[in-house]
Amino acid sequence: MTVADLGALLARTVERLEAAGIRDEALGTWKRSRGLFGVGASDSLVPAGRAWRLGVLLLTRDGRLFSTGEVTRAVEPGRAAVNRSAAGEQRRAIRAIAAHGNFPRGEVINYGWEPIVLDEASLASSAGPLSIREGVVQVRTTPSELGWISVDRYLDDRVLILLGD
């Protein structure tokens, strides 16, 4: 799979996902409100579109790709726990922000994602999940050098997983 073929592959993948009725997920971005004179400043997650989560990639209906970041749900976070880790408390705080944002209750929200530029020069020098290796567009599925797979095979596998096949 070459860069020249990538747009058509992404369009076919979108068609398959839509035809199967696979649900997409919200994309969110962080927004910092200033408050008044620096008092009352707060963070919020705001809607930034929708995409299908395909492992390490997010795919939008218009064929844009993003690297997957973090995921949360717009649900009430529950009570703070005495012995919860700092990371657990941070996830709880993010759920609270999402629950009070502009997302439907229960919505899955992807945040911290990064756009992937789909031209040959960018992919050739990419350290992200999508890169050109040996002339072929490949996806890095693990941090090791063994974790590379051709993008067409990767997307096909991910769609089959979502379809339950």
Side-chain angles (χ1 to χ4, degrees):
M1 172 68 50
T2 66
V3 174
D5 302 323
L6 192 54
L9 171 66
L10 297 176
R12 284 192 309 274
T13 303
V14 167
E15 287 174 8
R16 287 178 68 193
L17 293 165
E18 285 180 331
I22 302 297
R23 190 170 189 276
D24 58 6
E25 300 175 351
L27 297 176
T29 58
W30 287 106
K31 181 180 177 186
R32 178 95 174 145
S33 69
R34 292 190 201 133
L36 187 59
F37 302 112
V39 177
S42 64
D43 291 326
S44 60
L45 269 172
V46 295
R50 301 195 64 80
W52 288 281
R53 186 166 11 123
L54 303 169
V56 298
L57 301 173
L58 294 165
L59 173 63
T60 64
R61 281 185 162 69
D62 61 359
R64 291 178 296 142
L65 281 178
F66 300 92
S67 61
T68 303
E70 302 293 324
V71 179
T72 193
R73 238 180 226 284
V75 295
E76 289 300 325
R79 312 189 328 228
V82 175
N83 294 321
R84 185 173 290 163
S85 68
E89 282 303 311
Q90 182 179 17
R91 287 189 301 273
R92 182 181 166 281
I94 292 169
R95 280 193 307 274
I97 290 169
H100 297 102
N102 293 320
F103 297 96
R105 181 170 172 73
E107 178 74 70
V108 174
I109 306 162
N110 294 275
Y111 65 94
W113 40 265
E114 295 288 330
I116 299 174
V117 180
L118 299 178
D119 64 65
E120 188 139 2
S122 298
L123 291 176
S125 63
S126 174
L130 199 65
S131 186
I132 297 174
R133 295 176 51 90
E134 300 171 3
V136 176
V137 180
Q138 296 188 28
V139 178
R140 180 191 296 258
T141 59
T142 66
S144 80
E145 281 302 309
L146 301 176
W148 290 95
I149 183 173
S150 67
V151 68
D152 50 337
R153 186 169 149 217
Y154 179 81
L155 290 175
D156 188 52
D157 288 349
R158 298 312 297 191
V159 169
L160 289 174
I161 289 169
L162 290 174
L163 293 173
D165 291 346

